[in-house]
């Protein structure tokens, strides 16, 4: 039975799920959102009125939220790369880091991005300043965390790194990681070199003009 993923290549949370698919070479059919096919968007809205992508459709089952989709794949469509450790203690650390990247990197960088999409008179400079401040705090903590580590939760690539890759990719575009945070910057480069994420980045290149802050001429 085919797996249908409602998503867009530029979306960070969609890239998070793409990485999980590509790590295990799990076949899926992309249902491109915000394209020319109005039926796809209508089907997406009917399945998930909240309209937050990505959304996975496996037969007659609907799975939403990027972390839950990756957890679902691990349970129902496992591959050679185990993104969630079988050991409960190790899995807890992976899940913790997944939440760190979603809540303390993605949330704040998207605050800045979404604010840029608003008309000037509706923007929130105080909220944006706070988001940038929180990114700085998170960068500092993560730089210490990544000292001596290869991946976010240890030596093995995991769900946490699926979350980290697009989060740090766009966060550095939105609010540059300071040069002093050498461990975090090196980690971001390792993520960019990972074939699964490199593929997701390449697939999003045709849509970079949609990034509201202006995509930098790098990465």
């Amino acid at each position: 039975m085919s797996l249908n993923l409602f998503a867009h290549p530029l979306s960070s949370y969609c890239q998070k799920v793409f990485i999980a698919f590509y790590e295990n070479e799990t076949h899926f059919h992309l249902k491109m959102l915000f394209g020319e096919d109005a039926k796809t968007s209508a089907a997406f809205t009917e399945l998930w009125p909240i309209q937050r992508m990505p959304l996975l459709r496996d037969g007659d089952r609907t799975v939403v939220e990027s972390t839950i989709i990756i957890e679902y794949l691990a349970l129902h469509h496992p591959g050679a790369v185990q993104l969630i450790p079988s050991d409960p203690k190790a899995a807890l650390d992976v899940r913790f880091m997944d939440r760190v990247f979603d809540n303390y990197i993605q949330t704040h960088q998207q605050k800045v991005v979404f604010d840029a999409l608003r008309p000037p008179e509706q923007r929130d400079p105080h909220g944006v300043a706070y988001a940038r401040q929180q990114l700085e705090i998170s960068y500092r903590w993560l730089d210490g965390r990544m000292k001596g580590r290869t991946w976010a939760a240890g030596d093995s690539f995991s769900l946490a790194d699926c979350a980290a890759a697009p989060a740090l990719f766009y966060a550095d575009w939105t609010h540059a990681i300071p040069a002093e945070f050498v461990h975090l910057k090196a980690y971001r480069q390792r993520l960019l070199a990972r074939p699964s994420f490199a593929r997701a980045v390449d697939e999003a290149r045709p849509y970079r003009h949609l990034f509201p802050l202006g995509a930098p001429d790098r990465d």
Side-chain angles (χ1 to χ4, degrees):
M1 191 171 292
S2 63
L3 296 170
N4 292 305
L5 185 69
F6 290 76
H8 190 281
L10 192 67
S11 162
S12 55
Y13 282 110
C14 293
Q15 289 181 7
K16 176 179 171 179
V17 171
F18 290 151
I19 294 167
F21 274 106
Y22 298 156
E23 281 290 322
N24 280 305
E25 300 181 352
T26 304
H27 178 75
F28 70 97
H29 178 65
L30 176 62
K31 295 284 191 177
M32 175 74 84
L33 292 171
F34 308 112
E36 297 179 357
D37 185 359
K39 290 183 179 179
T40 298
S41 295
F44 172 62
T45 301
E46 184 175 352
L47 289 167
W48 187 227
I50 293 175
Q51 298 183 52
R52 295 298 299 270
M53 58 183 175
L55 178 150
L56 178 66
R57 188 76 171 163
D58 184 8
D60 60 358
R61 184 163 188 174
T62 298
V63 188
V64 297
E65 292 296 322
S66 58
T67 296
I68 303 306
I69 291 172
I70 295 172
E71 295 257 13
Y72 179 87
L73 292 174
L75 286 172
H76 298 280
H77 302 276
V81 179
Q82 190 174 10
L83 295 173
I84 302 163
S86 54
D87 176 70
K89 292 182 179 179
L92 189 64
D93 195 34
V94 166
R95 291 185 174 101
F96 164 65
M97 290 303 296
D98 170 71
R99 303 324 305 139
V100 167
F101 287 109
D102 278 8
N103 292 331
Y104 306 119
I105 299 295
Q106 290 269 39
T107 296
H108 295 306
Q109 81 88 15
Q110 288 189 342
K111 167 65 178 178
V112 181
V113 170
F114 292 154
D115 192 79
L117 293 169
R118 296 176 175 177
E121 67 276 9
Q122 295 180 15
R123 289 179 183 166
D124 176 18
H126 296 291
V128 167
Y130 176 78
R132 291 185 181 279
Q133 178 189 55
Q134 292 302 302
L135 282 171
E136 290 271 355
I137 293 170
S138 298
Y139 289 163
R140 184 174 298 278
W141 183 85
L142 284 166
D143 187 63
R145 168 82 179 189
M146 292 311 302
K147 184 178 181 179
R149 286 174 177 254
T150 301
W151 302 113
D155 295 329
S156 299
F157 191 91
S158 70
L159 162 67
D161 303 293
C162 295
L168 292 173
F169 179 75
Y170 286 118
D172 191 47
W173 284 12
T174 301
H175 186 82
I177 299 171
E180 65 187 279
F181 298 143
V182 294
H183 307 297
L184 183 59
K185 289 178 75 69
Y187 174 51
R188 184 179 182 274
Q189 289 304 119
R190 287 195 295 278
L191 290 167
L192 280 164
R194 186 81 177 186
S196 57
F197 185 48
R199 177 178 172 181
V201 169
D202 283 342
E203 290 172 344
R205 289 186 190 280
Y207 307 99
R208 287 190 174 189
H209 65 281
L210 298 174
F211 190 72
L213 300 176
D217 186 20
R218 57 183 172 88
D219 296 328

